[in-house]
Amino acid sequence: MDATTDGAPADPAAPPHGKPDGARGDERGLGTPLERLPGVGTSRARGLARLGLVTVADALVHFPRDYRDFSGVHAVSDLSPGEHASLAGDVTAVQTRTTAAGRPLLTVRLACRGGSVRARWFNMPFLARRFAVGMRVVIAGVPRRAAGGWEFAHPEIRWLSAGEVEHAAEWLAIYPLTEGVPQTHVRAAVQAALAHGADCAVEAFPATMLAAKGLLPIAEALRQIHLPADRARLDAARRRFVYQELFMLQLALRIHRGRQQARRAAPVSAVDARLDHRIRARFPFEFTAGQRRVAAEIATDMARGEPMNRLLQGDVGSGKTALAVYAMLATVATRVPGDDSAARYQAVLMAPTELLARQHTATVGRLLAGSGVDICLLVGGQPSRERKAAAARIADGRADIVIGTQALLASGVRFARPGLVVIDEQHRFGVLQRALLQQGDGDPHTLVMTATPIPRTIAHAVYGDLDVSLLDELPPGRKPVATYRVEPGQADDWWEFYASKVREGRQGYVIVPAVDDSPRGLASIASMFEQLANGPLEAFRIGLVHGRLKAAEREEVMDRFRSGDFDVLVATSLVEVGIDVPRATLMTIVDAESFGLAQLHQLRGRVARGGVRGICGAIVDDPSAPRPRIDAFVAPTDGFRLAEQDLLLRGAGDLVGTRQSGAPPLFLADLLRDTALVAEARGDALDLFQRDPLLSDPSLGRLRELIENRWGASLGLGR
Ligand code: ADP
Ligand code: MG
């Protein structure tokens, strides 16, 4: 669901998230086409255009995704296979030959500190002319140990002029690429763009603010982010852009919230003791203390008349669904004021997958059986006639509770009286998607539920000013799942153990990391199925479910598994979230290292049950690959700790889904490292908003314009 709305700023010249916005249109040289710059040329420009780099402005804001140490500090004795290194050395031999396959191969031998190494390039015969015996160069790349000693294939190279010594600090920018556009082309274009246009970039911040915050001015920041003179200046440039990005987002959210509150048009749902009792009586269990507390928080929010904006965090299996249902029932029990008919508000529940939406529909349907509440499902996989009928019921208000996927965001779906939006297990629905659901005059209440403990600072950075509820206990009787790491050599033993547990009457999942919609992925899950059905699990009834099946087929397989028709379910990770089959207490995760930690934890949550202790085996494929994730996964720890580690391993940008194709992951990816800056930007944005909520001071003109361009359409901030 890669956030198309999130990634589509209203103004095509407005840079996506994380970009410095210096650069718009044809202002003063920024609009110069790259092909007019020295060293770019028509054919390179065509490649660059595929990366979205057409003008000088585009290149300036094409930020590096990483940097390589190019300092030449390493000695041969420092090398280890597969680990990036940079060496300075003297060229001792240059040789070009043609391989058996007919490819030209250039080999350059270098005498470095502590020994010699070889650098090799295929298909780049022209490069030979640039080397001569006796030259001094710095190479950077990933070495391997070959027959004749250490070898670098296609290293980055820097020629040192006579007498130049390698710097102790030289950082080489590594850019996001696309197929057929080499790093060198992008680097050259960016450098040409810097020379041509860095000084034309328009500063977003007033000079007083730059000074007060110690931020690098835009032109200097652009130069240092692309061509850092040293580590300190790189950090300063990065800090400026991270700060700018966070500050602008915070300000935009603050302005948005200000307008929301000014409207104060959210439904007023007074949940009195009677209604509270009536709602809770619908559940086949007592609410835990945690659920009672969160229900009270939700009830208080919903009675206030301004939109609830609440994030509910709770580990997998902590019982968040009950709270969604609680809030939804409070909503549909609320009469629309001034309406003389008995019209009630509608509640919307958005799930990340169709399967989950269907399961929620079944769960809610069971809970509300006989209540007269109309529950309506809308998902992409429905026949279009069904979908249209659902949309009609949503639009004319017959539907009370609407459950669906992002198909609900499709244009054409209009809600008669939206009172509440619940977003389940989907931290990737950012604030902008939520804004989309806020149609009509008023703003509905919003409840976002996630099993991923987004640290408060990050939650604030991404969701803005929201309140956080925590469900920090599991319903009674839940036990942690016993988790094992299974090395490749132990797979047979594992399957034997797994089979013995199935024989005891447990049901189990086998999760295969197939890419659902690729033929190769499909083949791998099919072959796993064959292997198990003809091997260790041949005694059992096995179901197979994956993303290529039609929704109805998938639903049938799931139903049969749920009803015990199948002992084992081989599935792709689409069972990841929310699926609830009480007897399923076994799980094997194949190629576990290809899943993220949060995902592994979500998967394992499927077999965390009351009564019987769940068992989970994570089979790893490659015994030598580093596996900090798997190590963290099998260590006894709770989901929250785990997800925090996941954040550290993956970077927050990925977690919160702000990372978009084309946008540099660098900046948001370090939200965790930059927590202090998040807090600072937030505080500053609030200050500024309080001083000048309309940003009417002339020195803020550029800032206001940038915010409107970037967020205006999605947050309704336009003039
Ligand atoms: P999650 O927070 O992962 O969405 P669910 O809402 O799916 O968790 O709840 C997991 C399971 O726990 C469900 O089967 C649900 O019926 C059950 N459950 C929820 N709350 C309670 C409770 N208070 N007592 C007993 N079981 C509960
Ligand atoms: Mg759930």
Side-chain angles (χ1 to χ4, degrees):
M1 72 137 289
D2 261 336
T4 47
T5 48
D6 213 345
D11 175 353
H17 224 52
K19 299 202 170 182
D21 315 298
R24 281 231 295 145
D26 40 22
E27 296 166 35
R28 287 173 287 165
L30 292 174
T32 308
L34 289 171
E35 68 183 309
R36 288 215 216 117
L37 300 185
V40 179
T42 317
S43 97
R44 282 195 182 192
R46 256 200 302 279
L48 293 166
R50 279 192 283 126
L51 270 172
L53 308 183
V54 177
T55 64
V56 165
D58 299 331
L60 289 180
V61 299
H62 189 63
F63 284 160
R65 63 172 166 76
D66 202 358
Y67 298 86
R68 286 290 142 66
D69 175 0
F70 213 149
S71 55
V73 291
H74 294 114
V76 173
S77 57
D78 299 330
L79 298 181
S80 77
E83 238 170 67
H84 181 89
S86 172
L87 292 86
D90 298 308
V91 175
T92 56
V94 182
Q95 182 205 33
T96 311
R97 65 181 179 87
T98 306
T99 63
R103 297 203 291 159
L105 170 63
L106 167 65
T107 305
V108 174
R109 183 167 281 283
L110 299 174
C112 304
R113 196 147 48 91
S116 78
V117 301
R118 266 189 337 219
R120 325 187 81 173
W121 289 268
F122 285 99
N123 291 329
M124 297 178 79
F126 47 87
L127 200 57
R129 290 198 302 270
R130 303 205 47 197
F131 289 99
V133 171
M135 275 179 172
R136 190 158 176 79
V137 299
V138 177
I139 59 167
V142 177
R144 65 181 193 102
R145 218 194 288 274
W150 289 104
E151 187 176 293
F152 287 76
H154 292 249
E156 302 278 355
I157 180 135
R158 180 157 64 90
W159 281 268
L160 300 179
S161 44
E164 187 187 354
V165 280
E166 56 277 10
H167 294 217
E170 175 94 23
W171 296 83
L172 190 71
I174 308 293
Y175 290 96
L177 298 176
T178 191
E179 210 171 307
V181 183
Q183 202 55 253
T184 47
H185 287 192
V186 177
R187 206 175 283 139
V190 170
Q191 290 176 12
L194 276 176
H196 181 87
D199 290 320
C200 302
V202 183
E203 180 58 69
F205 294 118
T208 48
M209 197 168 160
L210 287 178
K213 304 301 302 177
L215 299 173
L216 282 190
I218 183 71
E220 177 64 3
L222 283 171
R223 278 192 202 97
Q224 296 299 336
I225 202 89
H226 290 295
L227 274 174
D230 52 41
R231 184 78 224 191
R233 270 173 281 188
L234 169 56
D235 288 344
R238 207 187 146 273
R239 178 170 176 274
R240 182 222 143 94
F241 290 122
V242 172
Y243 179 86
Q244 175 174 349
E245 172 174 60
L246 294 170
F247 179 80
M248 288 191 2
L249 174 59
Q250 289 304 322
L251 200 52
L253 291 168
R254 194 66 203 80
I255 295 169
H256 174 62
R257 186 149 213 227
R259 298 195 181 175
Q260 244 187 2
Q261 281 170 342
R263 284 206 291 267
R264 298 180 76 87
V268 181
S269 300
V271 185
D272 57 16
R274 229 182 93 245
L275 181 57
D276 172 77
H277 183 78
R278 243 178 54 215
I279 294 177
R280 281 203 270 146
R282 285 258 155 215
F283 293 88
F285 45 72
E286 290 289 316
F287 273 22
T288 62
Q291 283 168 324
R292 283 202 302 274
R293 191 188 62 239
V294 176
E297 286 166 353
I298 289 173
T300 309
D301 283 359
M302 290 180 57
R304 267 201 326 231
E306 63 187 69
M308 167 168 73
N309 201 17
R310 188 166 284 279
L311 177 69
L312 169 55
Q313 305 188 346
D315 206 349
V316 182
S318 60
K320 296 183 292 294
T321 314
L323 291 157
V325 173
Y326 186 93
M328 293 198 291
L329 288 180
T331 302
V332 302
T334 303
R335 192 168 280 155
V336 179
D339 206 322
D340 41 28
S341 73
R344 312 284 169 140
Y345 283 103
Q346 293 170 302
V348 185
L349 173 56
M350 280 185 72
T353 65
E354 208 165 309
L355 207 62
L356 197 54
R358 289 176 187 276
Q359 178 175 299
H360 277 319
T361 308
T363 307
V364 175
R366 267 195 309 276
L367 290 174
L368 300 185
S371 68
V373 173
D374 183 286
I375 303 164
C376 172
L377 174 76
L378 194 150
V379 290
Q382 282 168 320
S384 82
R385 191 143 40 82
E386 254 180 59
R387 213 168 47 233
K388 282 204 186 100
R393 271 166 65 201
I394 296 169
D396 67 20
R398 269 174 296 162
D400 298 310
I401 290 183
V402 179
I403 301 178
T405 55
Q406 38 178 323
L408 286 169
L409 294 174
S411 56
V413 181
R414 286 270 161 270
F415 294 86
R417 297 174 294 275
L420 167 74
V421 178
V422 183
I423 294 164
D424 185 27
E425 298 287 12
Q426 185 48 291
H427 39 261
R428 278 164 201 262
F429 287 112
V431 65
L432 301 180
Q433 280 85 348
R434 292 194 293 133
L436 255 188
L437 280 172
Q438 297 172 349
Q439 6 170 300
D441 320 327
D443 284 310
H445 298 293
T446 309
L447 179 64
V448 179
M449 307 196 297
T450 175
T452 308
I454 305 170
R456 196 173 281 263
T457 46
I458 292 177
H460 278 143
V462 177
Y463 294 97
D465 254 348
L466 84 186
D467 305 301
V468 180
S469 291
L470 197 59
L471 261 189
D472 48 7
E473 66 187 305
L474 296 182
R478 292 227 160 193
K479 299 190 183 79
V481 176
T483 305
Y484 306 94
R485 188 223 318 275
V486 183
E487 301 292 344
Q490 305 168 321
D492 290 346
D493 293 345
W494 169 260
W495 287 117
E496 203 171 296
F497 172 71
Y498 187 93
S500 75
K501 291 293 169 186
V502 179
R503 225 168 281 123
E504 286 172 12
R506 293 172 181 244
Q507 283 179 292
Y509 298 97
V510 177
I511 308 295
V512 185
V515 181
D516 286 341
D517 48 6
S518 80
R520 210 182 113 254
L522 213 56
S524 82
I525 185 171
S527 89
M528 175 56 59
F529 179 83
E530 291 298 317
Q531 240 170 291
L532 295 174
N534 297 308
L537 304 181
E538 64 181 350
F540 309 113
R541 298 159 301 170
I542 311 180
L544 177 65
V545 65
H546 53 77
R548 272 286 179 97
L549 293 181
K550 291 210 186 69
E553 294 170 311
R554 225 154 58 197
E555 192 48 24
E556 191 197 323
V557 178
M558 288 306 301
D559 274 346
R560 293 184 60 189
F561 183 60
R562 211 173 280 133
S563 65
D565 251 14
F566 290 127
D567 306 302
V568 173
L569 185 69
V570 177
T572 53
S573 54
L574 62 88
V575 301
E576 179 183 345
V577 269
I579 301 302
D580 199 21
V581 180
R583 258 183 62 218
T585 55
L586 279 176
M587 177 169 286
T588 302
I589 303 173
V590 179
D591 284 352
E593 63 269 54
S594 56
F595 294 97
L597 193 49
Q599 208 182 5
L600 287 170
H601 180 67
Q602 289 268 10
L603 286 166
R604 176 170 62 184
R606 298 300 109 229
V607 296
R609 294 288 147 210
V612 183
R613 189 178 174 88
I615 299 173
C616 174
I619 303 187
V620 295
D621 194 27
D622 174 2
S624 68
R627 297 175 306 238
R629 255 181 282 151
I630 306 297
D631 293 340
F633 179 58
V634 298
T637 175
D638 65 56
F640 267 44
R641 285 291 302 286
L642 210 65
E644 255 159 32
Q645 271 164 304
D646 193 41
L647 273 170
L648 289 167
L649 290 171
R650 279 193 305 160
D654 189 24
L655 174 81
V656 295
T658 46
R659 185 178 288 181
Q660 321 149 10
S661 57
L666 172 70
F667 298 96
L668 278 173
D670 278 329
L671 271 179
L672 263 197
R673 205 174 79 190
D674 296 320
T675 44
L677 208 52
V678 175
E680 192 180 325
R682 183 173 144 77
D684 294 345
L686 293 185
D687 279 353
L688 177 60
F689 179 78
Q690 257 142 34
R691 274 203 317 274
D692 186 358
L694 300 174
L695 308 184
S696 50
D697 189 284
S699 73
L700 300 174
R702 180 65 180 161
L703 196 59
R704 193 180 61 224
E705 186 188 345
L706 289 173
I707 289 176
E708 279 172 8
N709 286 338
R710 172 70 182 93
W711 305 103
S714 31
L715 290 181
L717 303 182
R719 277 175 276 222

